[in-house]
């Protein structure tokens, strides 16, 4: 083989390799978690830039129990009006995204659920977060009673997720009233839903938004996120 031919072959290989890279619809985060585009994202969303930003926001060790990210609109998203889910050690996230910031929120939220599973003992053994959460729920129950909402009172003392209670908060009470009543008490109406969501919304606040505000509103949660962040 002449040197000239060899170079041509090398050029060819390099060219087809680059073409392969360009065509393939996957990116990675931390070089280890692959993101697969099953359903096309809107053109104005650059997945690589989204993943890069997440790498800069979240310590890598908090993602160790995530195998893959699938950009795919699952049927269950419509049924439960959610955008993403963490299951089977993977994050599934809808391709219907308004902008990169929304997509980052969704992915970080699901990273929170996976990190919560990984660090259950460190987070919950002393029950400080549970006490903080249920104390806030009790305060909210008083506020709702004053507004004439007296259903599901027993559910306020249960930190686990319940579809009936979720629907009650979301549809019967409604998020606008809930938002107004929980100013300075919960970070968002959704964080009232369950202990898991209280944790995940706090995690988002800590890493994406206003760490100092989380410390002010939910000091116990803040302390534990600080702990697992520096593990
Ligand atoms: Zn969640």
């Amino acid at each position: 083989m002449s040197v000239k031919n060899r170079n041509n072959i090398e050029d060819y290989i390099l060219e087809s390799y680059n073409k392969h890279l360009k065509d393939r619809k996957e990116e990675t985060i931390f070089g280890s978690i692959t993101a697969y585009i099953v359903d096309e994202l809107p053109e104005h969303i650059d997945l690589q830039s989204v993943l890069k930003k997440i790498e800069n926001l979240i310590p890598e060790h908090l993602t160790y129990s995530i195998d893959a990210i699938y950009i795919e609109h699952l049927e269950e998203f419509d049924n439960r009006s959610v955008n993403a889910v963490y299951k089977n050690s993977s994050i599934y996230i809808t391709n219907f995204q308004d902008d990169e910031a929304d997509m980052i929120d969704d992915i970080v939220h699901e990273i929170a659920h996976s990190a919560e599973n990984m660090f259950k003992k460190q987070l919950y053994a002393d029950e400080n977060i549970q006490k903080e959460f249920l104390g806030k729920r009790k305060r909210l129950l008083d506020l709702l009673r004053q507004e004439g909402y007296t259903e599901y009172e027993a559910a306020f003392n249960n930190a686990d997720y319940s579809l009936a209670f979720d629907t009650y908060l979301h549809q019967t009470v409604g998020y606008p009233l809930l938002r107004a009543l929980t100013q300075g008490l919960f970070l968002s109406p959704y964080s009232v839903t369950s202990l898991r969501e209280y944790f995940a919304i706090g995690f988002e606040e800590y890493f994406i938004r206003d760490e100092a505000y989380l410390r002010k509103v939910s000091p116990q949660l803040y302390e534990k996120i600080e702990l697992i962040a520096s593990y």
Side-chain angles (χ1 to χ4, degrees), residues 109 113 190 197:
H109 184 96
H113 286 315
Y190 194 54
E197 298 309 336

Side-chain angles (χ1 to χ4, degrees), residues 74-88:
L74 303 181
E75 228 178 273
E76 66 184 84
F77 293 162
D78 296 327
N79 301 338
R80 294 176 48 219
S81 40
V82 295
N83 299 322
V85 65
Y86 170 71
K87 63 177 184 183
N88 311 325

Side-chain angles (χ1 to χ4, degrees), residues 10-24:
E10 276 174 4
D11 281 350
Y12 173 76
I13 291 170
L14 189 65
E15 209 174 282
S16 67
Y17 178 68
N18 285 339
K19 186 176 177 323
H20 167 73
L21 277 186
K22 200 165 157 278
D23 286 350
R24 107 189 148 149

Side-chain angles (χ1 to χ4, degrees), residues 174-188:
Y175 277 10
L177 174 62
L178 205 53
R179 193 180 300 279
L181 294 178
T182 57
Q183 256 341 305
L185 185 62
F186 285 93
L187 293 173
S188 81

Side-chain angles (χ1 to χ4, degrees), residues 100-136:
E100 290 186 6
D102 271 355
M103 191 166 178
I104 290 168
D105 279 0
D106 285 354
I107 295 177
V108 170
H109 184 96
E110 300 311 320
I111 291 175
H113 286 315
S114 83
E116 187 207 23
N117 275 351
M118 223 183 349
F119 291 100
K120 262 202 172 108
K121 220 172 84 189
Q122 291 85 343
L123 292 170
Y124 297 129
D126 64 9
E127 301 197 351
N128 285 347
I129 302 181
Q130 292 94 312
K131 280 179 207 146
E132 181 174 79
F133 174 71
L134 291 175
K136 287 173 182 293

Side-chain angles (χ1 to χ4, degrees), residues 30-45:
F30 296 118
S32 57
I33 305 165
T34 303
Y36 299 94
I37 300 185
V38 181
D39 297 323
E40 281 302 329
L41 280 165
E43 282 215 336
H44 64 279
I45 293 185

